[in-house]
Amino acid sequence: MTTQTPIRNRPLPSGVYSGRPWRIHEITEDFDLEDVWALPVQGGADDFPRFVEALMSGDDRDFPAAYRFLFAVRWALGRMLGTDEDEHGLGRRVASLRDRLPDNLRDHPAPERDTSPFQPLYLTDREYAAEIANRTMHGVLHLAWVEDATAPDGYSAQMSVLVRPNGLFGDVYMRFIKPFRYLVVYPALLRTVGRRWETARGMGRCDVSSLSR
């Protein structure tokens, strides 16, 4: 039986992201750090790629109804207002950050998920990054595997969100959605991420035990 890692209900100080030598810093100098969150995910030194795979392979139905409803409304408004049209996306309104990747990161492609609006940038043994762009902003999702003395196996996961708003409209939009992110999006996301990882770890332990018989 496993015990899920406790969920932190407040973002972390910005220094836990900006003070570390993450590779993402090399391509996001003109982005602002929006949030840093401790994910309820712990593991060993070699577990990060498996965590990313577990996160990306999940079904959106894992999320609570309130979370799915909020995003359904968000995408409906996007269609109504035209904020998500191709002309505002990556390679159109803004250039993809893939163009900024140094050669030694281009050699670390990240897994893709057809249903995700995010486009992957890279995956290493300690970092994953993906991007999204629309009429309101250009955003980056960054996952990191951090040494953690309080974690039983020595590592825990963090998630950072970076944004570059598109002018005044983008600034107003980001301010408007912030309460919804904190009240609905992040709590649901953290719980679901934690459950997906516990499920993946449980399956891994079952596989190992079956091989040892």
Side-chain angles (χ1 to χ4, degrees):
M1 181 176 179
T2 60
T3 301
Q4 187 170 337
T5 306
I7 295 176
R8 182 185 174 95
N9 59 12
R10 290 179 174 272
L12 296 170
S14 61
V16 302
Y17 164 82
S18 59
R20 291 183 178 271
W22 302 125
R23 299 297 307 273
I24 193 66
H25 296 317
E26 301 173 32
I27 61 172
T28 55
E29 303 93 340
D30 49 346
F31 283 68
D32 298 322
L33 178 64
E34 187 73 14
D35 291 303
V36 188
W37 289 88
L39 299 179
V41 170
Q42 297 178 342
D46 299 327
D47 280 337
F48 184 62
R50 187 158 67 98
F51 160 61
V52 174
E53 181 181 358
L55 180 61
M56 296 301 149
S57 62
D59 192 313
D60 287 344
R61 288 173 293 183
D62 294 347
F63 289 97
Y67 177 98
R68 288 183 277 117
F69 174 76
L70 182 63
F71 271 86
V73 172
R74 159 63 185 87
W75 298 126
L77 287 174
R79 290 190 296 271
M80 184 185 304
L81 300 174
T83 58
D84 300 322
E85 294 179 359
D86 290 344
E87 65 186 87
H88 301 302
L90 296 168
R92 303 290 292 276
R93 185 181 68 80
V94 296
S96 171
L97 292 177
R98 289 179 179 179
D99 298 340
R100 303 184 186 183
L101 289 176
D103 290 340
N104 57 3
L105 279 183
R106 293 178 188 273
D107 295 335
H108 295 274
E112 297 194 24
R113 184 184 176 198
D114 291 341
T115 58
S116 174
F118 284 87
Q119 297 297 313
L121 290 168
Y122 65 87
L123 172 65
T124 70
D125 62 341
R126 294 291 181 268
E127 292 182 65
Y128 167 82
E131 63 178 338
I132 187 172
N134 54 39
R135 185 183 173 191
T136 61
M137 58 84 194
H138 187 181
V140 175
L141 172 69
H142 180 257
L143 302 177
W145 207 232
V146 183
E147 290 189 53
D148 184 350
T150 68
D153 295 320
Y155 285 82
S156 61
Q158 289 179 2
M159 176 184 72
S160 300
V161 178
L162 310 167
V163 297
R164 188 174 61 183
N166 184 22
L168 178 61
F169 179 62
D171 283 327
V172 171
Y173 172 80
M174 294 304 298
R175 293 177 186 274
F176 173 74
I177 67 170
K178 187 169 185 175
F180 299 100
R181 293 204 323 270
Y182 277 65
L183 291 174
V184 179
V185 174
Y186 285 132
L189 177 64
L190 297 180
R191 288 194 298 271
T192 303
V193 166
R195 285 196 299 267
R196 286 184 180 178
W197 177 236
E198 288 304 319
T199 298
R201 294 195 81 187
M203 292 176 63
R205 282 189 287 268
C206 289
D207 292 343
V208 171
S209 62
S210 64
L211 289 173
S212 64
R213 292 174 184 172

